[in-house]
Amino acid sequence: MREYDVIIVGAGHAGCEAAAAAARRGARVALVTLRADDPGTLSCNPAVGGIGKGHLVTEIDALGGIMGRVTDAARLQSRLLNRSKGPAVHGPRAQVDRALYRAAMAAVLAEFPGLSIVTAAVEGLVLDQGRITGVETSAGHLAAPAVVLTTGTFLGGVMHIGSQREAGGRVGAQASDLGAALRAMGLPVSRLKTGTPARLDGRSIDWSVLEWQHGDGDDPRFSRFGQRNGHPPIPCAITRTNAETHRIIRDHLGESALYGGHIDSVGPRYCPSIEDKVVRFGDRDGHQIFLEPEGYDDISIYPNGLSTSLPLHVQEKFIRSIRGLEQVAIMRPGYAIEYDHVDPRALTPGLAARAVPGLFLAGQINGTTGYEEAAAQGLVAGANAAALALGLPDLIVDRTQAYIGVMIDDLTLHGVAEPYRMFTSRAEYRLRLRADNADQRLTPLGEALGLVPAAQAAAFAAEQAERERARTLLNSLTATPHQLASHGIEVRQDGQSRSLFEWLRFPAVTHEAARRVWPELATVSDDLLASLAVDANYAAYIARQEAEVAALRRDEALALPAGLDFATVAGLSKEMVERLSRARPQTLGAASRVPGITPAALIALLPHTSRRNPELAA
Amino acid sequence: MTDTIAALASGRPPAALAIIRISGPAALAVVQRLAGRVPPPRRLSLCRLHHAGQLLDEALVAVFPGPASASGEDLAELHLHGGPAVVAGVLDAVTAQPGVRLAEPGEYTRRAFANGRMDLAQVEGLADLVSAETASQRDQALALAGGALGRLADAWRERCLNVLAEAEAGLDFAEDEADVAERLDEAAREQLTAMADELAAVIADATRAMRIRDGLSIAVTGPPNVGKSSLVNALAMRDVAIVTAIPGTTRDAIEVPIDLAGVAAVLIDTAGLRDTDDPVEAIGIARARARAAAADLVISVSSAEAPAWPDTAGLRLLNKCDLAAPGVPPDVLRVSAATGAGLPALRDWLADWAHRLTRPGEPALLAHARHRAAFADAKAALRDAALAPEPVLRAEALRLAAHAFGRIAGRVGVDDVLDRIFSRFCIGK
């Protein structure tokens, strides 16, 4: 008799999302965590979303995930980044209240009757003939045919403050030694590092000399069911490091864990410690620092941009050289953390470990950084763990559909050389993959797989019907440039009659102007009109990308056998064999994205492919 | 939606025949546009191919509607006369149609396989073939002018990536860090326009490269019976064109390859220009005028029996100079195809002219249609980038430009762009 269908190890962003997705598909889920109040803990900055990351959150929401709703409920303020850069790169981002976030997460998880939170330390994985059958915990044995590991930085975690080291995944939390077990199962494990800044006492900051950064007036949210918490939005403040700050850091560089030779793992280039910034960009006169409140009822301030592994006395000294922070009191020092991660090339596109049936991995353990990246993987791993346990279809998202697909394809095909963060520039189909159309891209898929709750599916269907109706209306309304001119709209008089949908591309045809010319538009809401205008703007570019997507889909439909020994493929050079063996592409399309693979190598692979999903090839 | 691909399926011109194969959803539309009709399927039909108001060739055309075709898609084959100019002209006309581009190596095979038109045994063994083909293309690109093309494509790709990195930094990181300023301003616009202009000049030089590869074209024109065909035979040192005393013997243009001190050229013997009621001769004359208009050099031949000096650019020649002719302008070369008098001087003149035009010692880039297409795509993308209404569309256009050069110089990975961003900006809070 088995106790559970799916066991999730770790209740961070990946774990919570995995538990919710598995439970949504009907699995009996055990979410195993060290402390009962762990779920929804934000271990680094008190913010969710941003450019690229915000896309992930809207995609999670479109697939029935929970991060968007929880963030909406906990937000202190929210903004839409990149407003001026074009809708494809609009990135919603919210500052959140840590306590509210945890509370909202607990409330959402409690909605799932099949989900139990188990407070225990996982001590080992239990296998039978190479297959996962459960986990050994400090509270006893738990059985399940599928286990999702979302151990974050806890796997072999070591924290560094100056020359001090301490085992642990986060301050006040113990580390896990499952890393050895994974190595023993033949999974490739290596080390990465990341860091976090000191936390400051907000009462000791001189706010009067600082510049404020407020949320956007329209208070953007992630989820159509997102609710505000009833509190007024609160701002962040902005300050800068200066020459004196940099001098202090330079003088004490040898005492930093990073530069003192205590850490040699690789950290992310885009989330550098302040030591890194001073060393690599020493010529800058200063770096911007955001002072982010950690909650409505919290005196703690997160100084975003000051991640460091210098000893406490140096942290104190350089932080106090910054404007507004001259008298600041440090509540908790910053630190660097080294941790184990598994080379994600050992995983399938469904985030299952190829070598260990029943084992799934999601989040930082796969070499990523960021709450949103972790949550998105959690959703995929959780949905597929449930699929394995219950005999349901897998959730596979490809790079033409979503940022989630881009990330997983990048991870499983290229591996990671530094912690992986989502950027919009990683998505070659960026114009299609927008935050504003995440539900159109993914909700039908999520619904088909039983991931999307009925209310969300119904709201989406109603919205799509309305969208269809409006789209038809926009196509049926036409005007010549002459007719527009008679309404005072100046466009080039080329005599070409166009539909309103086409006219929306022209800057002169503003929405107000369009409503003046065509009173019928009264039945179309402002939001919907704006969204259709985005479609109109990108229509020509998207048509071109569709051609690329079709080509990719064709190659994705040609599957390579799972155990193919590339060395036996006639006509492959030694170099090609090496590259392919490392990346283990599952389709001809994936093979074509392995760096350095030639057309001739792809042709050589052709005889070994078999067609799958013929409807994809159409 | 799928691209339609086109390529020369037969060997390299000049040859007696050349076959251009077009595969994909637009294949039949291309035939309709060029031939004015779509002939009945799976039968060779004589069609006149026109583009931009010009007759390109009289060709045998066969169409094979998919899926019953070699590629499984709609497929058309154009069986052309095998002159380099004809092939280049038709290929340009085909790829100028919407949705049509030159095929990548191995692409027909992949399509045939994907559409279930080839079994595995047929595909096996093709890898070597394609490998040889791509290797030879790469070698060609590398060897061309001692690697100059590869270096040029690389340098351009670098420049595109640098601008792209700035554009992407502005998109992905602008709100993170004030260090990444708004750089997508008027200056960027000017920079991109300047790059596109520079590229246009590079592409213009491609004409010279094409001339080196495909040979210069020299049309021999003039009134009937002045001895154009005799002259062509004399220059070619073989009897290619039929020579009779009857005016109007040459009905169709005849192409004769010759060597001008190491530079390849094609002499085109054309029908004599006169008013005629003979419809066949009239077609020949129209074609002669068209060939003259497209040729690199027009030799206007006149005869000492009836000297006439049309006011044309190109070379004016007086044939039959063994006969007396008064009042010949000084720049007119005098030859006698019959006696050989003046022919060495004519050869020298032509060799001089050929060398002036092709500068054979200097690097010739972009001799291949694929390379030219890549550069032209990049130029168009850079113009789009300069005019893009929003930063994300500018980045999209720049990505396409970098990809176009990447097709010659190697692939463009997203990490190239990110590496650049991280090395130049201080990113992250």
Side-chain angles (χ1 to χ4, degrees), chain B residues 212-255:
Chain B
I212 293 179
R213 201 199 64 167
D214 295 339
L216 296 161
S217 58
I218 303 170
V220 182
T221 67
N225 218 20
V226 293
K228 296 182 294 296
S229 299
S230 307
L231 195 68
V232 165
N233 285 342
L235 280 172
M237 293 185 283
R238 56 204 146 118
D239 279 346
V240 186
I242 300 166
V243 177
T244 71
I246 306 163
T249 300
T250 305
R251 295 293 179 94
D252 204 352
I254 292 172
E255 296 189 359

Short mmCIF file of all heavy atoms in Angstrom, two decimals, chain B residues 212-255:
data_model
loop_
_atom_site.label_atom_id
_atom_site.label_comp_id
_atom_site.label_asym_id
_atom_site.label_seq_id
_atom_site.Cartn_x
_atom_site.Cartn_y
_atom_site.Cartn_z
N ILE B 212 33.11 37.87 -62.11
CA ILE B 212 34.26 36.99 -62.11
C ILE B 212 33.81 35.55 -62.14
O ILE B 212 34.33 34.72 -62.88
CB ILE B 212 35.13 37.24 -60.86
CG1 ILE B 212 35.75 38.64 -60.94
CG2 ILE B 212 36.21 36.16 -60.73
CD1 ILE B 212 36.60 38.99 -59.76
N ARG B 213 32.79 35.23 -61.34
CA ARG B 213 32.37 33.85 -61.24
C ARG B 213 31.63 33.39 -62.50
O ARG B 213 31.89 32.33 -63.05
CB ARG B 213 31.47 33.65 -60.03
CG ARG B 213 31.43 32.20 -59.59
CD ARG B 213 30.25 31.93 -58.73
NE ARG B 213 29.02 32.14 -59.50
CZ ARG B 213 27.84 31.75 -59.09
NH1 ARG B 213 27.71 31.19 -57.93
NH2 ARG B 213 26.78 31.96 -59.84
N ASP B 214 30.66 34.21 -62.91
CA ASP B 214 29.78 33.76 -64.00
C ASP B 214 30.28 34.19 -65.37
O ASP B 214 29.77 33.75 -66.39
CB ASP B 214 28.37 34.30 -63.79
CG ASP B 214 27.74 33.72 -62.54
OD1 ASP B 214 28.22 32.65 -62.11
OD2 ASP B 214 26.80 34.32 -62.01
N GLY B 215 31.24 35.08 -65.39
CA GLY B 215 31.74 35.56 -66.68
C GLY B 215 31.06 36.85 -67.09
O GLY B 215 29.92 37.11 -66.72
N LEU B 216 31.81 37.65 -67.85
CA LEU B 216 31.23 38.90 -68.37
C LEU B 216 30.36 38.55 -69.57
O LEU B 216 30.60 37.58 -70.27
CB LEU B 216 32.36 39.83 -68.83
CG LEU B 216 33.29 40.30 -67.72
CD1 LEU B 216 34.59 40.81 -68.32
CD2 LEU B 216 32.61 41.38 -66.92
N SER B 217 29.33 39.37 -69.78
CA SER B 217 28.50 39.11 -70.96
C SER B 217 28.72 40.22 -71.99
O SER B 217 28.76 41.40 -71.65
CB SER B 217 27.02 39.01 -70.56
OG SER B 217 26.63 40.19 -69.93
N ILE B 218 28.94 39.79 -73.22
CA ILE B 218 29.22 40.73 -74.31
C ILE B 218 28.22 40.45 -75.43
O ILE B 218 28.22 39.37 -76.01
CB ILE B 218 30.65 40.54 -74.85
CG1 ILE B 218 31.67 40.71 -73.70
CG2 ILE B 218 30.92 41.51 -76.00
CD1 ILE B 218 33.08 40.30 -74.08
N ALA B 219 27.34 41.39 -75.67
CA ALA B 219 26.35 41.20 -76.74
C ALA B 219 26.91 41.79 -78.03
O ALA B 219 27.39 42.92 -78.04
CB ALA B 219 25.04 41.86 -76.35
N VAL B 220 26.84 41.02 -79.08
CA VAL B 220 27.27 41.49 -80.39
C VAL B 220 26.01 41.84 -81.18
O VAL B 220 25.20 40.97 -81.48
CB VAL B 220 28.10 40.42 -81.11
CG1 VAL B 220 28.60 40.95 -82.46
CG2 VAL B 220 29.28 39.98 -80.24
N THR B 221 25.83 43.14 -81.44
CA THR B 221 24.59 43.56 -82.10
C THR B 221 24.92 44.35 -83.36
O THR B 221 26.08 44.74 -83.60
CB THR B 221 23.74 44.47 -81.19
OG1 THR B 221 24.44 45.70 -81.00
CG2 THR B 221 23.48 43.82 -79.86
N GLY B 222 23.89 44.62 -84.14
CA GLY B 222 24.07 45.41 -85.35
C GLY B 222 23.05 44.99 -86.38
O GLY B 222 22.29 44.03 -86.17
N PRO B 223 23.04 45.68 -87.51
CA PRO B 223 22.10 45.33 -88.58
C PRO B 223 22.39 43.94 -89.13
O PRO B 223 23.48 43.40 -88.88
CB PRO B 223 22.36 46.40 -89.66
CG PRO B 223 23.22 47.43 -89.02
CD PRO B 223 23.91 46.80 -87.87
N PRO B 224 21.47 43.37 -89.90
CA PRO B 224 21.69 42.04 -90.46
C PRO B 224 22.87 42.03 -91.42
O PRO B 224 23.18 43.04 -92.05
CB PRO B 224 20.40 41.74 -91.22
CG PRO B 224 19.40 42.72 -90.74
CD PRO B 224 20.15 43.91 -90.26
N ASN B 225 23.52 40.90 -91.47
CA ASN B 225 24.53 40.64 -92.49
C ASN B 225 25.76 41.55 -92.43
O ASN B 225 26.42 41.77 -93.42
CB ASN B 225 23.90 40.72 -93.89
CG ASN B 225 24.51 39.64 -94.80
OD1 ASN B 225 25.08 38.66 -94.31
ND2 ASN B 225 24.43 39.85 -96.10
N VAL B 226 26.07 42.11 -91.24
CA VAL B 226 27.32 42.88 -91.13
C VAL B 226 28.46 41.95 -90.71
O VAL B 226 29.61 42.37 -90.58
CB VAL B 226 27.22 44.04 -90.12
CG1 VAL B 226 26.23 45.10 -90.62
CG2 VAL B 226 26.83 43.53 -88.74
N GLY B 227 28.12 40.68 -90.39
CA GLY B 227 29.16 39.71 -90.05
C GLY B 227 29.33 39.50 -88.56
O GLY B 227 30.41 39.19 -88.09
N LYS B 228 28.25 39.63 -87.83
CA LYS B 228 28.33 39.45 -86.37
C LYS B 228 28.71 38.00 -86.03
O LYS B 228 29.59 37.76 -85.19
CB LYS B 228 26.97 39.78 -85.73
CG LYS B 228 26.56 41.24 -85.90
CD LYS B 228 25.25 41.55 -85.21
CE LYS B 228 24.06 40.82 -85.84
NZ LYS B 228 23.80 41.24 -87.23
N SER B 229 28.06 37.06 -86.72
CA SER B 229 28.33 35.65 -86.42
C SER B 229 29.76 35.28 -86.81
O SER B 229 30.44 34.55 -86.09
CB SER B 229 27.32 34.74 -87.12
OG SER B 229 26.02 35.05 -86.67
N SER B 230 30.23 35.82 -87.94
CA SER B 230 31.62 35.55 -88.34
C SER B 230 32.57 36.08 -87.28
O SER B 230 33.57 35.43 -86.92
CB SER B 230 31.93 36.27 -89.66
OG SER B 230 30.99 35.92 -90.63
N LEU B 231 32.25 37.24 -86.77
CA LEU B 231 33.11 37.86 -85.76
C LEU B 231 33.15 37.01 -84.48
O LEU B 231 34.20 36.77 -83.89
CB LEU B 231 32.55 39.26 -85.45
CG LEU B 231 33.48 40.19 -84.70
CD1 LEU B 231 34.65 40.59 -85.58
CD2 LEU B 231 32.70 41.43 -84.27
N VAL B 232 31.96 36.53 -84.07
CA VAL B 232 31.88 35.69 -82.88
C VAL B 232 32.70 34.43 -83.09
O VAL B 232 33.49 34.02 -82.23
CB VAL B 232 30.39 35.35 -82.58
CG1 VAL B 232 30.31 34.19 -81.57
CG2 VAL B 232 29.67 36.58 -82.05
N ASN B 233 32.55 33.81 -84.26
CA ASN B 233 33.32 32.61 -84.56
C ASN B 233 34.82 32.89 -84.54
O ASN B 233 35.61 32.11 -84.01
CB ASN B 233 32.93 32.04 -85.93
CG ASN B 233 31.58 31.33 -85.86
OD1 ASN B 233 31.13 30.97 -84.78
ND2 ASN B 233 30.94 31.16 -87.01
N ALA B 234 35.20 34.05 -85.08
CA ALA B 234 36.61 34.39 -85.16
C ALA B 234 37.19 34.62 -83.76
O ALA B 234 38.28 34.15 -83.42
CB ALA B 234 36.81 35.63 -86.02
N LEU B 235 36.44 35.29 -82.92
CA LEU B 235 36.92 35.54 -81.56
C LEU B 235 36.98 34.24 -80.76
O LEU B 235 37.88 34.04 -79.96
CB LEU B 235 36.01 36.55 -80.85
CG LEU B 235 36.25 38.02 -81.20
CD1 LEU B 235 35.14 38.90 -80.58
CD2 LEU B 235 37.61 38.49 -80.69
N ALA B 236 35.98 33.37 -80.98
CA ALA B 236 35.94 32.12 -80.25
C ALA B 236 36.91 31.11 -80.84
O ALA B 236 37.18 30.08 -80.23
CB ALA B 236 34.53 31.54 -80.25
N MET B 237 37.40 31.40 -82.03
CA MET B 237 38.30 30.52 -82.75
C MET B 237 37.67 29.15 -82.98
O MET B 237 38.32 28.11 -82.87
CB MET B 237 39.65 30.40 -82.03
CG MET B 237 40.38 31.73 -82.07
SD MET B 237 42.03 31.67 -81.38
CE MET B 237 41.72 31.67 -79.67
N ARG B 238 36.36 29.12 -83.16
CA ARG B 238 35.69 27.89 -83.59
C ARG B 238 34.37 28.28 -84.24
O ARG B 238 33.85 29.39 -84.00
CB ARG B 238 35.47 26.91 -82.44
CG ARG B 238 34.70 27.48 -81.26
CD ARG B 238 35.03 26.68 -80.00
NE ARG B 238 35.02 27.60 -78.87
CZ ARG B 238 34.19 27.49 -77.84
NH1 ARG B 238 33.36 26.47 -77.78
NH2 ARG B 238 34.19 28.34 -76.86
N ASP B 239 33.81 27.37 -85.04
CA ASP B 239 32.57 27.69 -85.74
C ASP B 239 31.39 27.33 -84.86
O ASP B 239 30.95 26.19 -84.80
CB ASP B 239 32.49 26.91 -87.06
CG ASP B 239 33.31 27.59 -88.14
OD1 ASP B 239 33.67 28.77 -87.92
OD2 ASP B 239 33.58 26.97 -89.17
N VAL B 240 30.91 28.31 -84.17
CA VAL B 240 29.77 28.08 -83.29
C VAL B 240 28.50 28.59 -83.94
O VAL B 240 27.49 27.92 -83.98
CB VAL B 240 29.98 28.78 -81.93
CG1 VAL B 240 28.86 28.41 -80.99
CG2 VAL B 240 31.32 28.40 -81.35
N ALA B 241 28.58 29.78 -84.45
CA ALA B 241 27.40 30.40 -85.05
C ALA B 241 27.36 30.06 -86.54
O ALA B 241 28.40 29.97 -87.20
CB ALA B 241 27.46 31.91 -84.86
N ILE B 242 26.15 29.86 -87.03
CA ILE B 242 25.98 29.56 -88.46
C ILE B 242 26.15 30.84 -89.26
O ILE B 242 25.57 31.88 -88.93
CB ILE B 242 24.58 28.98 -88.73
CG1 ILE B 242 24.40 27.68 -87.93
CG2 ILE B 242 24.37 28.73 -90.21
CD1 ILE B 242 22.96 27.22 -87.86
N VAL B 243 27.01 30.75 -90.23
CA VAL B 243 27.27 31.94 -91.05
C VAL B 243 26.80 31.67 -92.48
O VAL B 243 27.18 30.68 -93.08
CB VAL B 243 28.77 32.27 -91.06
CG1 VAL B 243 29.05 33.46 -91.97
CG2 VAL B 243 29.26 32.54 -89.65
N THR B 244 25.92 32.55 -93.02
CA THR B 244 25.53 32.48 -94.43
C THR B 244 25.51 33.90 -94.95
O THR B 244 25.64 34.87 -94.17
CB THR B 244 24.12 31.89 -94.62
OG1 THR B 244 23.17 32.85 -94.16
CG2 THR B 244 23.95 30.58 -93.89
N ALA B 245 25.37 34.01 -96.24
CA ALA B 245 25.26 35.35 -96.83
C ALA B 245 23.85 35.88 -96.73
O ALA B 245 23.56 37.00 -97.12
CB ALA B 245 25.70 35.30 -98.30
N ILE B 246 22.94 35.06 -96.18
CA ILE B 246 21.54 35.48 -96.13
C ILE B 246 21.27 36.32 -94.88
O ILE B 246 21.50 35.84 -93.76
CB ILE B 246 20.61 34.25 -96.13
CG1 ILE B 246 20.93 33.35 -97.32
CG2 ILE B 246 19.14 34.66 -96.11
CD1 ILE B 246 20.39 31.95 -97.19
N PRO B 247 20.83 37.56 -95.08
CA PRO B 247 20.52 38.38 -93.90
C PRO B 247 19.44 37.69 -93.05
O PRO B 247 18.50 37.10 -93.60
CB PRO B 247 19.98 39.68 -94.49
CG PRO B 247 20.40 39.68 -95.93
CD PRO B 247 20.53 38.25 -96.35
N GLY B 248 19.60 37.78 -91.74
CA GLY B 248 18.58 37.22 -90.84
C GLY B 248 18.79 35.75 -90.56
O GLY B 248 17.87 35.06 -90.14
N THR B 249 20.01 35.24 -90.76
CA THR B 249 20.27 33.83 -90.48
C THR B 249 20.17 33.54 -88.99
O THR B 249 19.59 32.55 -88.57
CB THR B 249 21.68 33.45 -90.98
OG1 THR B 249 21.72 33.68 -92.38
CG2 THR B 249 21.97 31.98 -90.69
N THR B 250 20.75 34.43 -88.19
CA THR B 250 20.73 34.21 -86.75
C THR B 250 19.37 34.64 -86.20
O THR B 250 19.00 35.80 -86.31
CB THR B 250 21.86 35.00 -86.06
OG1 THR B 250 23.09 34.63 -86.67
CG2 THR B 250 21.90 34.70 -84.58
N ARG B 251 18.62 33.66 -85.69
CA ARG B 251 17.29 33.97 -85.18
C ARG B 251 17.29 34.14 -83.67
O ARG B 251 16.63 34.99 -83.11
CB ARG B 251 16.30 32.84 -85.55
CG ARG B 251 16.08 32.71 -87.04
CD ARG B 251 15.34 33.96 -87.54
NE ARG B 251 15.10 33.93 -88.96
CZ ARG B 251 13.98 33.49 -89.53
NH1 ARG B 251 13.03 33.01 -88.77
NH2 ARG B 251 13.83 33.51 -90.82
N ASP B 252 18.02 33.27 -83.01
CA ASP B 252 18.01 33.29 -81.54
C ASP B 252 19.41 33.67 -81.06
O ASP B 252 20.39 33.50 -81.77
CB ASP B 252 17.64 31.90 -81.03
CG ASP B 252 17.05 31.99 -79.63
OD1 ASP B 252 17.10 33.09 -79.04
OD2 ASP B 252 16.56 30.97 -79.13
N ALA B 253 19.47 34.20 -79.85
CA ALA B 253 20.77 34.55 -79.29
C ALA B 253 21.57 33.28 -79.04
O ALA B 253 21.05 32.30 -78.53
CB ALA B 253 20.58 35.32 -78.00
N ILE B 254 22.84 33.32 -79.42
CA ILE B 254 23.71 32.17 -79.19
C ILE B 254 24.82 32.61 -78.24
O ILE B 254 25.41 33.67 -78.41
CB ILE B 254 24.32 31.68 -80.52
CG1 ILE B 254 23.21 31.10 -81.39
CG2 ILE B 254 25.42 30.66 -80.28
CD1 ILE B 254 23.66 30.77 -82.79
N GLU B 255 25.08 31.80 -77.21
CA GLU B 255 26.10 32.17 -76.23
C GLU B 255 27.36 31.36 -76.47
O GLU B 255 27.30 30.14 -76.60
CB GLU B 255 25.60 31.91 -74.81
CG GLU B 255 24.40 32.76 -74.45
CD GLU B 255 24.05 32.68 -72.98
OE1 GLU B 255 24.74 31.92 -72.26
OE2 GLU B 255 23.11 33.36 -72.58
#
